[in-house]
Amino acid sequence: MAFAESRGALRRDDWALLDEDTADSGGDAAIAAAILGASPELVVFTLFSHNIERSLWIAKRLRALMPATHFVAGGPEVVQGMPVFKAHAFDALIEGEWEEPFIGLLADLSARSLKPRYTAGAPLDLETVPDPYLSGTLAVSPDKPVFIESSRGSLVNPVFLGRRPAGLRYFPRDFAPRVLRLASEGGVDEARFVDPQLDAKPDFKSFVKALAAANESGVGLSGHIDPAAVDDELVGLLADAAFMAVSADLGSVNPKALEAVGLRLDREGLERGARLLWAQGIIVQPDVYLGLPHDSYETTIETFDFLGMAGMGQDTELQPMPVAPGSMLREDSASYGVKEFLERPPYWVVETEWMDEDDLLDAMADFEESFDVAWGTPVTPCFSAERGGFVAFADLRSAAGLDALLVSPERLASSVTLFLDADDTERAARVVRAARDLRKENPYTLWQIVLHSNAGIPGTGLVDKLSDAFSMPEHYFELSRIFSLDMQPDFQVRTFFATSSEALALAAMRDRKDLETVFAIGDAMPGARLVEALPFMAFDRETAPFELLYDLMSAYRVYPELLLEAPRSLFSMKS
């Protein structure tokens, strides 16, 4: 939008972004209602792997309701041969860089001659592209990270990623420091560089000096930097600029696998650079991919061994190799030894000539066990009534709670916790019957179902019925966790057993791995056996004694994500 404004194709009052609360927290119906209420002439979507399915649903729903409105989309998912071209959800699609084609699209829109496809021509001169923060298109917010783009393109283009223009192009050199100063003055805590190779910038040390001078409040920075290329001076400058983490392509330690996908690894340089960065308190996060061509289970374990010996295991970003839209790998996957991959996002490899699905699962198990990390962390319950102004929690122990959800689907958040009495099977059955109507208007919502009882653990039949009623197996949240070893099979729908009984909590932790256990804490800490089992702990910050809060925080110091704030009355009330 900033580029269109700079070319005179738009004025500031001609357009608006979806408001932050709706974009961040609103459910599918909430987003659709906000767009419908604005009555725009044009609606623009940016399609990524994590949002394309949801965006297609919203666009199709709105096109039926808004025949006079035009719907267009661009982004990494708009690649020839992908299903978006046959989805009949958009009037026009933009391939490649947005800026110039969008100007043409706006001109055609004014002339009422919109074309179905717009394609970027020669790579754009980034010196002519305004920054969205500096132009006022985007505002900095203290509770959100700032994303800084200082270059485009890459010198390295792995075959499993979508093609990027060869070489590097740079935005005006002062843009990044000016954006960082804006973030610093705005009370922002974190800024992330999205450049594929931040340190490939000419005279990178001078660039980092400028960042350090601009970052007066110490906004935490992160970016993609090759540790093998750093020296003492650069690491000192990175620390002065408040870099807190750097990510780096590792891929695998198998040279044959790296060569096949177009990556390289300087093992000694990586270890040396990591030590320098650690000495300044900067975290090193290697990117490792499972299922690369020529990587077997054994060579994958060699990669994990290297990470362990180098001290990087817990900070490693591990994921299966994607077969991304527009990538060389996707065009001829068989020649790279890929036998099966997910056709839907996130497009991960499932089987190769060297690893089958069981090998990938075993490798994931070894990674989790070796480094004491959980891959694919699930969503936890939320006991706050609202998030961003939308309903995030519903007490369904009374009929009114369920009726309110059914009557106003546009009020639902994108993630909703449902609280039920596990002993009231009749009301639970009504929720099962109502699930279809709830999902009809909010199909991509994440659901957390909390079954409360102090009398007994809910039966597997009830749990399965509730989970099946709300589940969408093709949901991105499900597919992106297919290699998780979590005992509960669903991620888009999570079921929890909440109780104030220590005996029941211990029994559930021991016998019911298909349920997450939530212990509702009272006036004192539970026994050591339960604390050591690490259930979720629900506590009321307002009523709990300070000594209890201290003991609880101390016991869960390493696992703060297992602490849930909830009103104490919730676990004592009956419907």
Side-chain angles (χ1 to χ4, degrees):
M1 295 302 175
F3 185 78
E5 286 184 347
S6 71
R7 293 292 184 90
L10 282 177
R11 295 175 302 175
R12 181 58 54 92
D13 57 0
D14 286 337
W15 63 273
L17 296 173
L18 187 66
D19 72 274
E20 286 191 6
D21 284 339
T22 303
D24 294 344
S25 303
D28 311 321
I31 292 175
I35 296 172
L36 187 63
S39 300
E41 180 183 5
L42 178 70
V43 179
V44 182
F45 291 77
T46 304
L47 304 181
F48 299 95
S49 61
H50 66 269
N51 74 354
I52 182 170
E53 302 282 354
R54 188 186 191 204
S55 297
L56 288 172
W57 183 88
I58 292 171
K60 288 179 179 179
R61 171 61 61 93
L62 288 173
R63 285 191 79 183
L65 300 173
M66 306 172 71
T69 297
H70 297 282
F71 293 82
V72 304
E77 287 292 316
V78 181
V79 177
Q80 277 294 324
M82 295 304 292
V84 66
F85 280 89
K86 300 179 181 179
H88 305 294
F90 302 103
D91 299 292
L93 294 168
I94 301 174
E95 295 179 73
E97 288 184 317
W98 277 74
E99 287 87 355
E100 288 287 3
F102 189 61
I103 299 292
L105 183 148
L106 291 174
D108 289 346
L109 182 66
S110 297
R112 301 183 182 277
S113 59
L114 205 63
K115 294 189 284 287
R117 180 186 174 197
Y118 293 81
T119 306
L124 192 64
D125 179 5
L126 300 185
E127 290 284 341
T128 68
V129 180
D131 180 85
Y133 293 104
L134 298 177
S135 66
T137 301
L138 295 178
V140 299
S141 176
D143 59 348
K144 285 190 171 184
V146 164
F147 295 91
I148 304 176
E149 184 183 27
S150 67
S151 66
R152 289 183 187 172
S154 179
L155 301 177
V156 178
N157 198 6
V159 300
F160 50 78
L161 297 181
R163 287 189 177 91
R164 294 176 291 212
L168 289 167
R169 292 168 291 143
Y170 302 98
F171 287 89
R173 193 172 181 84
D174 68 333
F175 273 15
R178 289 170 58 197
V179 172
L180 186 53
R181 172 170 288 175
L182 197 65
S184 179
E185 293 172 348
V188 173
D189 292 328
E190 181 185 0
R192 304 173 190 170
F193 283 91
V194 299
D195 308 47
Q197 292 174 274
L198 182 60
D199 56 333
K201 189 181 299 295
D203 199 5
F204 182 56
K205 290 181 180 178
S206 294
F207 177 74
V208 178
K209 288 180 182 179
L211 297 179
N215 194 6
E216 296 178 359
S217 70
V219 177
L221 304 182
S222 60
H224 201 94
I225 296 173
D226 182 6
V230 305
D231 56 24
D232 287 302
E233 181 187 6
L234 177 56
V235 169
L237 292 172
L238 292 172
D240 289 343
F243 270 85
M244 58 183 183
V246 300
S247 58
D249 285 325
L250 189 154
S252 168
V253 297
N254 178 2
K256 199 169 184 180
L258 294 176
E259 182 181 3
V261 298
L263 291 174
R264 60 181 180 81
L265 173 65
D266 178 355
R267 291 176 61 162
E268 292 183 1
L270 174 62
E271 292 184 86
R272 177 193 56 78
R275 288 192 293 270
L276 293 175
L277 290 160
W278 289 335
Q280 293 287 349
I282 300 173
I283 298 170
V284 179
Q285 299 171 315
D287 294 326
V288 173
Y289 298 95
L290 290 180
L292 293 178
H294 303 287
D295 249 345
S296 63
Y297 171 79
E298 289 74 21
T299 60
T300 301
I301 298 305
E302 290 176 11
T303 298
F304 296 165
D305 289 342
F306 167 74
L307 292 168
M309 290 185 289
M312 303 180 198
Q314 288 196 325
D315 296 318
T316 294
E317 298 291 333
L318 178 69
Q319 66 168 304
M321 178 181 68
V323 185
S327 66
M328 293 175 61
L329 180 59
R330 194 178 188 93
E331 290 177 0
D332 191 11
S333 59
S335 69
Y336 289 92
V338 174
K339 291 185 174 182
E340 183 182 356
F341 63 90
L342 295 177
E343 295 287 348
R344 308 175 78 116
Y347 309 115
W348 283 341
V349 66
V350 174
E351 183 179 2
T352 71
E353 292 180 9
W354 304 271
M355 296 183 77
D356 60 22
E357 187 171 356
D358 287 339
D359 290 328
L360 292 168
L361 286 167
D362 289 343
M364 190 66 73
D366 288 330
F367 180 80
E368 290 191 344
E369 183 177 352
S370 297
F371 304 120
D372 192 25
V373 295
W375 188 84
T377 306
V379 174
T380 57
C382 170
F383 296 104
S384 298
E386 293 187 347
R387 182 188 298 110
F390 297 96
V391 175
F393 173 82
D395 189 341
L396 303 189
R397 292 176 295 180
S398 67
L402 180 58
D403 291 341
L405 299 184
L406 292 168
V407 169
S408 302
E410 74 283 355
R411 293 280 299 118
L412 267 63
S414 56
S415 180
V416 179
T417 296
L418 306 178
F419 195 83
L420 289 81
D421 182 350
D423 304 317
D424 189 344
T425 55
E426 182 177 338
R427 198 173 303 281
R430 184 180 177 228
V431 173
V432 169
R433 293 192 297 271
R436 181 176 180 180
D437 290 329
L438 288 172
R439 293 181 57 238
K440 181 180 179 181
E441 300 297 326
N442 288 285
Y444 292 92
T445 292
L446 304 180
W447 304 95
Q448 305 87 52
I449 301 174
V450 181
L451 296 163
H452 173 250
S453 175
N454 290 324
I457 303 171
T460 56
L462 174 62
V463 172
D464 289 345
K465 286 179 181 178
L466 284 164
S467 182
D468 291 345
F470 286 90
S471 179
M472 177 192 283
E474 68 274 20
H475 196 291
Y476 177 85
F477 214 75
E478 294 289 349
L479 296 179
S480 64
R481 286 155 175 78
I482 60 169
F483 292 109
S484 171
L485 302 173
D486 196 291
M487 294 298 292
Q488 190 170 157
D490 294 311
F491 282 83
Q492 179 233 349
V493 182
R494 297 294 287 185
T495 49
F496 299 80
F497 168 55
T499 184
S500 302
S501 165
E502 285 193 46
L504 285 177
L506 280 168
M509 295 286 288
R510 182 186 65 241
D511 301 329
R512 293 296 300 279
K513 302 299 184 182
D514 60 323
L515 283 170
E516 302 274 13
T517 300
V518 179
F519 180 73
I521 200 165
D523 292 322
M525 285 288 288
R529 284 182 60 205
L530 183 57
V531 173
E532 290 170 3
L534 291 173
F536 284 94
M537 287 283 188
F539 69 101
D540 190 333
R541 186 183 295 272
E542 299 301 321
T543 63
F546 287 108
E547 295 86 354
L548 174 59
L549 290 176
Y550 175 84
D551 290 341
L552 184 60
M553 301 298 177
S554 298
Y556 277 68
R557 191 183 307 276
V558 183
Y559 306 99
E561 68 277 7
L562 297 179
L563 296 177
L564 308 173
E565 290 194 46
R568 186 173 178 178
S569 58
L570 182 67
F571 301 97
S572 58
M573 291 189 305
K574 296 293 288 183
S575 58

